[in-house]
Amino acid sequence: MATTAQDVRTIALSLPDSTEKPAWGMATFRVGGKIFAALADDDASVGVKCPKEERAGLIAAEPEKFFVREGHDDSYAWLRVRLAAVRDGAELRTILTDSWRQAAPKRLAAAHPELGANRGGDADTG
């Protein structure tokens, strides 16, 4: 069964303190006010946080799944994922959880060790 935009929404909103907010004509998902995922306006892909130094390796390993929009994503720690290439809900959950951890305030991420090791997270502001 193909992964859908509704799967993204369901998983993203299941993560602690996550909210959905429209921006630029698309659904974005946030934690601590920071975007960790954004559905493309055609619902065919989702953008997620990804350290710039990891993007090239991911794209080279699975170019049918991962990509960046040239000229748009170059300056951001952001990667796009084609939903049709995501194997299943477990893989989508892993991708979204990793992105959530990068955006979540450190205190919030630390309060949820079941979501894996924090890759740094943003400074806790409260």
Side-chain angles (χ1 to χ4, degrees):
M1 192 158 117
T3 302
T4 67
Q6 186 56 47
D7 296 327
V8 171
R9 180 171 280 107
T10 299
I11 293 169
L13 292 175
S14 75
L15 296 168
D17 294 344
S18 295
T19 59
E20 181 176 348
K21 181 178 180 182
W24 311 290
M26 63 186 95
T28 66
F29 302 91
R30 300 164 188 250
V31 61
K34 297 191 181 286
I35 297 173
F36 71 91
L39 280 166
D41 54 5
D42 64 1
D43 288 347
S45 66
V46 62
V48 294
K49 291 187 72 66
C50 178
K52 286 191 225 179
E53 61 274 8
E54 294 180 18
R55 292 188 311 191
L58 290 167
I59 293 168
E62 296 185 85
E64 72 287 348
K65 185 181 300 177
F66 300 114
F67 69 103
V68 293
R69 259 184 23 201
E70 297 296 329
H72 188 269
D73 298 329
D74 301 337
S75 300
Y76 302 99
W78 203 250
L79 180 72
R80 296 180 191 257
V81 183
R82 289 180 184 91
L83 295 179
V86 174
R87 285 185 294 279
D88 55 28
E91 182 182 28
L92 181 61
R93 179 171 291 282
T94 297
I95 291 167
L96 291 172
T97 299
D98 185 61
S99 185
W100 177 91
R101 282 194 317 265
Q102 292 175 65
K106 287 181 183 179
R107 188 179 299 159
L108 178 62
H112 295 279
E114 75 279 8
L115 297 178
N118 191 347
R119 293 173 51 160
D122 289 330
D124 194 357
T125 58

